[in-house]
Structures are given as structure tokens and as C-alpha cells.
Amino acid sequence: MNTKINIAGVEFKNPVMVASGTFGSGQEYGEFVDLNKLGAVVTKGVADKPWPGNPVPRVAETASGMLNAIGLQNPGIDVFIERDLPFLQKYDTRIIVNVCGHSEEEYLNVVDRLSDEKVDMLEINVSCPNVKEGGIAFGTRPDALYNITSEIKKHAKQPVIMKLSPNVTDIAEMARAAENAGADAISLINTITGMKIDINKRKFVLANKTGGLSGPAIKPVAVRMVYQCAQAVKIPIIGMGGIATGEDAIEFMLAGATGVAVGMMNFHDPYATAKVVDGIEKYMQDQKLDDIGEIIGAVHE
């Protein structure tokens, strides 16, 4: 039974990854999950300098999900290269570094610093606010997405995954913009903007007022967007958004995803990723499938 996938020339032992921001940089979950079992570890967002994140409270439970307004808190590229990367390199798993920034220059600084490091792929978080454009996220306008993607591709030594925001009118248009600019793959969906209010205190639950909604509540939206993008572009797709079981992962792959990422469920069950790997293998056995490629995009019209 072959569970290997290939994304932009990079081979993964299986399609299961972790969604950025839900798994730290691997050390935090190392005592629960054998990282060797995963197709890839996708790191928390890495910026060119330390980011403090948003004020607390910044996490809240919701029905079948959670809201977070962490604000991409991270210690910066220097600490990542010195502390986190050597840890990950000890394991037999692909390393995908999520890159964030407030300006094109900040993104490129991180991409350049990683050019000589043993990193398999870069995932670019375009949900960051572009400070030079009044705080509009890079990933909410096709022209802005095209520009940042094309500039990063000029600098990157590793294949580039553009992580798309669902907070747009036409996700397929965004996928095409990324592909036309040279992206090697896309990943989606990032969180959906949401809000929660405490009716007794009559106050916002999150200090930031709004946060990103993730978890099983958003899965139907995510599957639909992955399917739409799979119809619109030829580059590989990494699907995410509410994956909790092997069955969930298979649904994304049938919709057109080559790889899948487990996010919020890591908080609910630190063993979730390993269970998803096992679930995919069980499905393949039950369906008598020899190659996982037979699943990708195989939903019947």
C-alpha cells in the first residue's frame, strides 16, 4: 500500500501534515506524537524579528471549534534557526516553514535567511496585514497576492506554497493569481473571521474583538473551497479546515487535495495527527486501494 505523495517535486511518506500555528515547531508535541510518522511538520509562522502577538484574552471556544486572535506571536527567524530547526532536522519528516510579515521586505528577509537551510518547502501566510496598504491582508486581493508571490519566487530556493485566506469573494480567482505568479502549490483554508460576545458582561470575549474561526465547524466551507480551487488550477493543493479523522482527510482528498493538514484538533487531542494517518491507511485497506493517488480528485460528478 503506497501512501506517498509528491508536491512540487518533494516526496512525502504520507499526506498528513499539521496546520501552522497549531503544533508549535514540533517540540511541543514531540512527547505525544512520533514526528517520524507524519508526512510533514509545518511550523508556526516565522517573522524576521520577534512578534509579541495580540493582548489577552485571545482564545475562545465555540460550537465545534475555536476562535483565536494570537496575532502570529513568534520569537523570530534567529531563534527559529538556532533552536527549532535543529530539533526538526533530527526526524524523518519533511519540514515546511510558515513565513509571515507585515511588508514585502519582511517576507523576503525570512525567505533569504532560509535559502541555505535544510528546509523542504516554504508556506507563505498571506493573511498578514500589509502595513503599507492600510492593514489590508496580502491574501484578500488578487493583485496583491500575485505581487507578493512573484517577489517571493524570485528569492526562494525551496518550493513555495501560498496559504490562501477564505475571507474573499472568489477563492478560485485567488488560487489562479497564486498559480500565475509562479506558486508551486497552495494551501487552504486559513481561518474564517469570527466574533464572540459575552452576553452577561456585554463585552467581546476576545481582546481583539474578532478572531479566526477554526475546527470542525468550518469543514464544509473548506471542502467546498478546496474543490473549487482544484477545478481552477493545476498546481497541488494542501487542504485543511476542521480535519479530525481519517474520513475527514479522505473527503478533502476526494475534493482534490494532494495533502492535508490537521489544525485545531491538535489542541483537542494531541494524538490527532497520528490517528488521521491510521485512519487513511484503514480506508485504503477497506477500499482495497493500492495507491493513495487513486483518491485525489476522485469525487464523482
Side-chain angles (χ1 to χ4, degrees), residues 196-205:
K196 186 175 183 180
I197 296 172
D198 185 320
I199 64 169
N200 295 311
K201 295 180 181 178
R202 300 185 185 182
K203 294 179 64 175
F204 297 104
V205 172

Side-chain angles (χ1 to χ4, degrees), residues 74-115:
N74 73 93
I77 186 65
D78 292 335
V79 172
F80 176 78
I81 289 175
E82 180 182 341
R83 181 192 69 189
D84 299 328
L85 203 48
F87 171 83
L88 286 173
Q89 289 167 345
K90 295 186 296 184
Y91 293 89
D92 178 25
T93 186
R94 295 299 186 183
I95 301 170
I96 302 176
V97 180
N98 183 279
V99 178
C100 54
H102 289 123
S103 65
E104 184 179 291
E105 181 184 12
E106 290 183 15
Y107 278 98
L108 296 179
N109 286 343
V110 178
V111 170
D112 288 338
R113 286 290 305 279
L114 291 169
S115 62

